[in-house]
Amino acid sequence: MDEKEILKKIRRIDIFTNRLVNSVFAGEYKSIFKGQGITFDEVREYQEGDEIRAIDWNVTARMGQTYIKKYVEERELTMMLLVDMSASTAFGSIPETKAEIAAEIAALLAFSAIKNNDKVGLICFTDTVEHFVAPRKGKRHVLRVVRDILRFQPSQSGTNITEALIFADQVLKPHSVVFLISDFMDTDYQKQLRITAKRHSLIAVTLQDRREVEIPNVGLIELENAETRERMVVDTRSEQARQLYADLNQEADAARLQVFRASQTDYINIRTDESYVIPLMRFFRQRAARG
């Protein structure tokens, strides 16, 4: 996309996501992501039923009547968006690529966070961490995050989820909210998932294009792995070949799901040819229900 197209897309994302956040997502987000501990808010006059240990004896002595300290939950959180920008995310069999869908999902999550006065940061990664935006508040900052995702031009093609998670652990304070948005075309990241999931509230968002699930009967085609550049010719006229392709992808999906469950990582599966709003809402409501 050129700069004009990027600005137009940012504007469309801004309007669309703000509508969703204001109507639904901000409340759902707040209900499941809560700050750690409590912080002092104010003193007020003692009322019958208040705990004696909450009395502020210094203020009580000065004012000649009983006052207590009032505390509130420390609500502010930090959300970090880990966005996979490897070569495979540039693929799309619909008008939008996986990377563009990732930008829209990131915007929706980020606007939900700032609506609740939380900070938002960004890590763009391939087989290394290529771009980092420190967490900050405000709509202007979130629009910068979305712009950075859409403008990003990776220097590498591979995927290294472990390295991205290690970097996030290094720059984040404990108990942050981490959304890992990726097509998960990587291996051997389970150990680090488990480590990060213990330190933070970690949610894996899996992006999948329909042509990564099944292929139609279109004759002989050449498939290329975007990250390794390996190629193979497939005769899609063969029902057996099409079924084998579908079976291999189902096995990969099942293995990934097992990794998430074993590492106690929450997950959301997104198909790029379907609305991402429904699976996101389902996740928020299921998590709220389980407390």
Side-chain angles (χ1 to χ4, degrees):
M1 290 185 291
D2 60 28
E3 190 64 22
K4 187 176 180 180
E5 289 175 323
I6 289 173
L7 291 174
K8 187 185 295 185
K9 191 168 184 65
I10 290 172
R11 179 60 179 159
R12 184 180 68 78
I13 290 173
D14 182 15
I15 294 170
F16 177 67
T17 55
N18 262 295
R19 190 182 303 128
L20 280 173
V21 167
N22 290 330
S23 61
V24 179
F25 274 91
E28 297 286 351
Y29 170 91
K30 185 176 182 178
S31 71
I32 65 172
F33 297 121
K34 300 178 180 179
Q36 300 294 315
I38 57 174
T39 185
F40 173 73
D41 183 33
E42 62 182 7
V43 293
R44 64 166 174 78
E45 289 188 36
Y46 177 86
Q47 299 173 1
E48 186 176 351
D50 287 335
E51 292 190 27
I52 300 298
R53 60 184 178 180
I55 294 175
D56 187 322
W57 296 106
N58 291 330
V59 176
T60 296
R62 269 201 320 271
M63 302 301 294
Q65 58 191 77
T66 307
Y67 279 80
I68 68 166
K69 291 181 179 180
K70 182 183 175 185
Y71 293 85
V72 295
E73 180 187 31
E74 187 181 335
R75 219 327 306 157
E76 183 181 293
L77 287 168
T78 296
M79 174 192 287
M80 183 59 73
L81 300 165
L82 274 65
V83 183
D84 179 357
M85 301 300 289
S86 60
S88 60
T89 66
F91 176 73
S93 64
I94 61 169
E96 291 184 302
T97 65
K98 286 185 282 185
E100 290 175 288
I101 297 293
E104 294 184 21
I105 294 170
L108 182 55
L109 296 170
F111 278 118
S112 297
I114 63 166
K115 187 77 173 178
N116 286 283
N117 204 37
D118 292 341
K119 296 178 181 179
V120 177
L122 171 68
I123 294 171
C124 291
F125 70 95
T126 53
D127 51 19
T128 187
V129 173
E130 295 201 28
H131 185 60
F132 170 60
V133 179
R136 291 180 60 188
K137 297 181 181 180
K139 179 177 178 179
R140 195 170 176 181
H141 175 70
V142 168
L143 290 175
R144 182 256 171 113
V145 165
V146 176
R147 183 195 67 213
D148 283 4
I149 298 172
L150 291 173
R151 280 180 174 170
F152 188 76
Q153 296 293 323
S155 61
Q156 305 294 325
S157 61
T159 307
N160 191 325
I161 290 170
T162 294
E163 185 168 332
L165 291 170
I166 290 173
F167 183 85
D169 286 346
Q170 291 171 343
V171 299
L172 289 172
K173 63 181 181 181
H175 311 298
S176 296
V177 178
V178 178
F179 281 93
L180 172 58
I181 306 173
S182 174
D183 56 13
F184 289 88
M185 293 192 179
D186 190 18
T187 57
D188 301 324
Y189 51 82
Q190 180 175 333
K191 179 180 177 181
Q192 189 57 44
L193 272 182
R194 187 182 295 110
I195 293 170
T196 302
K198 286 181 178 180
R199 287 175 53 86
H200 307 291
S201 183
L202 176 62
I203 304 97
V205 181
T206 304
L207 300 175
Q208 195 170 50
D209 188 274
R210 62 181 176 177
R211 291 298 168 242
E212 294 168 338
V213 179
E214 58 185 20
I215 50 177
N217 182 353
V218 289
L220 286 173
I221 60 171
E222 184 177 52
L223 302 178
E224 180 181 86
N225 186 310
E227 299 188 9
T228 66
R229 298 302 180 189
E230 291 180 287
R231 296 183 179 187
M232 64 182 297
V233 175
V234 177
D235 185 358
T236 63
R237 293 170 298 186
S238 165
E239 184 178 346
Q240 185 178 6
R242 296 197 307 274
Q243 188 60 51
L244 177 61
Y245 182 86
D247 290 345
L248 289 173
N249 281 288
Q250 286 179 6
E251 288 174 13
D253 289 348
R256 184 172 58 247
L257 184 62
Q258 182 58 37
V259 167
F260 293 153
R261 288 174 173 167
S263 59
Q264 297 185 316
T265 300
D266 282 336
Y267 56 90
I268 309 168
N269 295 321
I270 305 289
R271 278 277 298 262
T272 59
D273 58 324
E274 299 173 356
S275 169
Y276 51 78
V277 174
I278 294 171
L280 285 171
M281 282 301 308
R282 187 185 305 119
F283 161 75
F284 278 105
R285 288 170 178 167
Q286 286 177 346
R287 179 150 173 170
R290 100 175 170 247

